[in-house]
Amino acid sequence: MLQLEEGLREALRRVNEHVQAPELETVTPDLNILDAVDSMAVVDLLLETESLLEEQTGEYVPLADDTIFDASASPLRRWSDWVAFVQRRHAG
Amino acid sequence: MQDDPARARLRFRNARLAGIVTTVGERRIPFEEEGNQLGLEPAEITRLQRAIGLNARHIVSNGETTVDLCEASARRLLEGLDVAPSSVVGLILVTQTPDYAAPSSAIELQHRLGLPVTSMAFDVRLGCSGFIYGLAVGSSLVEAGLERVLVVAGDVASRFVDATDHTVAPIMGDAGSAALIERRPAESRYELYSDGSGQRTLYIPNSGLKSDPRDEGLPATMTMDGAAVFNFTLQRVPDLVKDILSFSERSVEDIDFFVMHQPNKYILKSIQKRLKIDEAKFPMSTQSVYGNQNSASIPGTISGFLSESYQNSCLTSLFAGFGIGLSWGACVMETDRIFAPPTFIGLERQ
């Protein structure tokens, strides 16, 4: 769990090198990524996270689904939800 | 996808692809240069390059049109195959950017190419799925008795976007393609889909006769709900590929090349990974080099990246197109060695 969350933080950090959103500099359980960035950055985050976790685990797990951009249901609305979402995906 | 009782499935045994040619606009615009002109910061330019895979695009200049690009490709194709225009009796032009709202651009092209007046020519108004539909309709005509049908697909998408919109303008490239289908033994199978509930996901407001209050004041340029398009693609395309493989009684391993419409790097990579397809069989760089070629993106990918393979080998291919409409479709086809030269840049002879 900790290793996975570290991977997610690293992916977010890499994306924010280009986005440079101040809101993303400090990760808290309530961090709302969806409100902080545009759709291009969300796609970039998905790509970065999938690639990084594939490097770590040797397994590609797709993270995009039809909730990602949903303002009322996206796991990206809260960091803790995002971590739990990715964990569920990786658990199969 | 569930096995609905009524499905648009087609199977052909006597329609063979003889060749493909693609011509792109001569003007090459590097994305960095365009990004600077649009006022994007260097970090923003890098971000868009990473997420979508933008590096450059080719667009037309001097008022060149869809028919101009398609004519150049069709002439090159017929010359390369040594086929007389007088022997071609069917012409299908697939585009969303016709030269005129009416009449059909295909009829102008029939005249320009010198096809006989005893030929049939008409437009198919589709975008990113259009090449698949064009091949399906062309193959139907060939199976029904025509000896040769020319399927041209092209768009000058750069002319229907807001040039100042950094989310759409730098994506669009201009290309026109031509493919010839002949009446000779070859196996191909198609599945086609339509969902008008997604009409406003990707559309050009105020571009026809309809006055919709929701469109009041909007410019007649391409409007895209990026999130909805993203969801549509992820929901539909993996199943599209699985279903056409099943209908064709093939496995992923049986396919030499998966040539998909080329919207952006993430979408393509996600599909390739989800379906566990070897990256070498799944080209993904077309948009990066030429821009989004819309209806011409599948032939554009063959001309741009697979020319040598299609010219020198007998192949089994899976083609899939998906986008505006919403409309999507796929086919699995066998090809002999075909005439498939590398992409031509510009209308002038090289």
Side-chain angles (χ1 to χ4, degrees), chain B residues 6 40 57 71 78 105 167 180-181 190 207 256 259 297 300 347:
Chain B
L40 301 180
R57 62 187 181 125
E71 179 188 3
L78 296 178
S105 293
T167 65
L180 188 73
I181 305 171
Y190 291 73
S207 57
D256 295 302
V259 188
S297 64
L347 303 180

Side-chain angles (χ1 to χ4, degrees), chain B residues 26-335:
Chain B
E26 187 161 19
R27 190 174 159 215
R28 180 179 182 274
I29 307 179
F31 179 59
E32 277 192 45
E33 179 186 314
E34 190 161 29
N36 289 331
Q37 287 167 0
L38 287 165
L40 301 180
E41 297 293 326
E44 182 84 351
I45 290 171
T46 305
R47 190 164 69 86
L48 290 169
Q49 284 180 314
R50 279 159 49 93
I52 309 179
L54 296 174
N55 280 313
R57 62 187 181 125
H58 279 264
I59 65 169
V60 294
S61 49
N62 304 319
E64 291 160 356
T65 67
T66 299
V67 172
D68 295 330
L69 289 170
C70 289
E71 179 188 3
S73 288
R75 285 190 186 285
R76 288 162 172 157
L77 176 64
L78 296 178
E79 284 174 17
L81 289 168
D82 197 21
V83 167
S86 58
S87 71
V88 178
V89 286
L91 171 60
I92 299 165
L93 190 154
V94 181
T95 189
Q96 300 225 99
T97 53
D99 285 18
Y100 294 98
S104 276
S105 293
I107 304 172
E108 181 187 358
L109 186 55
Q110 168 270 329
H111 176 63
R112 286 201 203 177
L113 292 173
L115 270 55
V117 295
T118 48
S119 62
M120 59 190 295
F122 58 95
D123 287 2
V124 169
R125 197 72 172 269
L126 286 169
C128 305
S129 66
F131 183 68
I132 305 296
Y133 275 76
L135 288 181
V137 175
S139 298
S140 303
L141 295 174
V142 165
E143 291 262 353
L146 301 191
E147 283 300 320
R148 287 190 174 116
V149 172
L150 197 53
V151 176
V152 299
D155 281 296
V156 284
S158 68
R159 294 176 66 177
F160 67 48
V161 295
D162 174 357
T164 64
D165 182 349
H166 79 272
T167 65
V168 180
I171 295 172
M172 298 297 180
D174 300 331
S177 66
L180 188 73
I181 305 171
E182 294 184 319
R183 190 171 170 77
R184 286 163 52 203
E187 175 82 17
S188 60
R189 299 189 197 186
Y190 291 73
E191 289 192 338
L192 305 168
Y193 303 83
S194 315
D195 181 4
S197 71
Q199 182 190 47
R200 295 177 70 85
T201 299
L202 197 56
Y203 79 117
I204 304 176
N206 301 309
S207 57
L209 300 179
K210 186 178 177 77
S211 295
D212 188 321
R214 293 175 293 179
D215 296 339
E216 200 176 316
L218 294 177
T221 52
M222 183 60 77
T223 301
M224 176 169 69
D225 178 344
V229 173
F230 182 82
N231 288 340
F232 155 70
T233 308
L234 289 179
Q235 285 168 1
R236 297 296 191 186
V237 179
D239 282 346
L240 171 69
V241 173
K242 288 178 193 166
D243 284 357
I244 190 64
L245 285 172
S246 169
F247 178 48
S248 304
E249 300 169 79
R250 307 277 187 164
S251 67
V252 165
E253 291 72 32
D254 294 330
I255 303 297
D256 295 302
F257 288 111
F258 294 79
V259 188
M260 319 291 283
H261 169 56
Q262 305 272 308
N264 72 55
K265 183 173 137 189
Y266 178 79
I267 290 285
L268 290 170
K269 188 173 179 193
S270 178
I271 295 165
Q272 176 252 326
K273 291 278 193 179
R274 281 169 196 244
L275 297 170
K276 298 182 169 54
I277 298 168
D278 181 352
E279 212 168 309
K281 292 180 167 188
F282 199 98
M284 299 188 225
S285 301
T286 309
Q287 184 181 355
S288 177
V289 177
Y290 298 108
N292 184 336
Q293 298 176 318
N294 293 276
S295 62
S297 64
I298 294 169
T301 300
I302 292 172
S303 303
F305 301 92
L306 303 170
S307 164
E308 203 170 305
S309 297
Y310 277 84
Q311 294 213 96
N312 296 323
S313 312
C314 299
L315 299 171
T316 301
S317 305
L318 188 152
F319 300 153
F322 43 89
I324 193 165
L326 299 169
S327 171
W328 61 110
C331 68
V332 168
M333 72 162 57
E334 295 170 351
T335 50

Side-chain angles (χ1 to χ4, degrees), chain A residues 14-15 17-20 38 40-41 43-44 46-48 50-51 54 60 62-66 68-69, chain B residues 43-44 46-48 50-52 166-167 171 226-227 230-231 234-235 264-266 269-270 273-274 276:
Chain A
R14 289 184 191 178
V15 170
E17 278 179 11
H18 307 288
V19 177
Q20 297 174 352
D38 64 14
M40 299 287 189
V43 170
D44 199 10
L46 291 169
L47 188 65
E48 192 66 53
E50 288 172 358
S51 301
E54 187 181 15
Y60 172 78
L63 297 176
D65 70 9
D66 53 8
I68 289 292
F69 286 104
Chain B
E44 182 84 351
T46 305
R47 190 164 69 86
L48 290 169
R50 279 159 49 93
I52 309 179
H166 79 272
T167 65
I171 295 172
F230 182 82
N231 288 340
L234 289 179
Q235 285 168 1
N264 72 55
K265 183 173 137 189
Y266 178 79
K269 188 173 179 193
S270 178
K273 291 278 193 179
R274 281 169 196 244
K276 298 182 169 54

